[in-house]
């Protein structure tokens, strides 16, 4: 995969095992993801406890993301990922019930079209930096530059 500048972008992987989740006290949540019914939620702090601050920080750096945001994203997505990976209570690689683990891979995705609401916050420069005797035309145009990191 490459970004729009043609530079190679490698996906980042984090392996999260069922044992790691159980060791963090999340076995009831994992069972809800595997079984029928509503998937119990987990928090970003619980993800940090499972993955570890150092591994999470490295993955976030590789993805150019904030570690807290990555942990929150993982917490929101992990229940659904495990649920989808364990149809009928078993994973594709597991002969018994449950799952051995899950490898989560992220990579920056190219954006071709983006629609967003912008909330401008206009500011006036300090009077010491303005020419108060010259007229300045304000035509209402604006330039917006977006850079893909």
């Amino acid at each position: 995969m490459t970004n729009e500048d043609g530079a190679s972008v490698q996906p980042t992987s984090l392996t999260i095992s069922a044992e790691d989740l159980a060791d963090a006290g999340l076995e009831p949540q994992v069972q809800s993801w595997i079984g029928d019914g509503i998937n119990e939620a987990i928090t970003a702090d619980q993800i940090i406890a499972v993955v570890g601050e150092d591994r999470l920080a490295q993955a976030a750096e590789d993805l150019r993301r904030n570690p807290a945001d990555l942990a929150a994203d993982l917490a929101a997505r992990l229940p659904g990922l495990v649920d989808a990976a364990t149809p009928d209570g078993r994973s594709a690689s597991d002969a018994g019930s449950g799952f051995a683990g899950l490898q989560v891979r992220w990579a920056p995705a190219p954006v071709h079209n983006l629609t967003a609401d912008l909330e401008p916050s206009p500011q006036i420069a300090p009077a010491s930096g303005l020419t108060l005797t010259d007229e300045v035309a304000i035509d209402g145009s604006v330039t917006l530059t977006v850079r893909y990191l």
Side-chain angles (χ1 to χ4, degrees):
M1 176 185 291
T2 59
N3 65 14
E4 62 188 37
D5 295 328
S8 178
V9 178
Q10 297 299 318
T12 295
S13 295
L14 285 173
T15 301
I16 301 171
S17 72
E19 184 178 334
D20 292 340
L21 292 163
D23 288 347
L26 300 174
E27 193 166 345
Q29 287 90 334
V30 173
Q31 291 303 321
S32 78
W33 306 340
I34 294 170
D36 293 334
I38 297 173
N39 293 333
E40 290 186 28
I42 60 172
T43 66
D45 288 338
Q46 289 170 316
I47 288 292
I48 293 168
V50 170
V51 174
E53 288 185 27
D54 292 340
R55 285 178 54 210
L56 186 68
Q58 182 60 54
E61 182 179 330
D62 292 346
L63 294 168
R64 295 185 178 137
R65 294 195 56 192
N66 176 301
D69 292 342
L70 182 58
D73 196 16
L74 270 169
R77 294 176 187 230
L78 190 59
L81 290 171
V82 172
D83 193 13
T86 55
D88 300 323
R90 36 174 85 194
S91 68
S93 63
D94 187 15
S97 65
F99 77 107
L102 187 66
Q103 185 177 55
V104 181
R105 293 176 59 91
W106 263 277
V111 175
H112 298 285
N113 295 312
L114 173 67
T115 302
D117 294 328
L118 297 177
E119 294 183 27
S121 178
Q123 296 180 353
I124 297 175
S128 62
L130 296 175
T131 304
L132 300 177
T133 57
D134 296 332
E135 192 171 309
V136 177
I138 300 176
D139 64 5
S141 67
V142 64
T143 302
L144 178 66
T145 304
V146 178
R147 294 183 185 207
Y148 181 82
L149 300 176

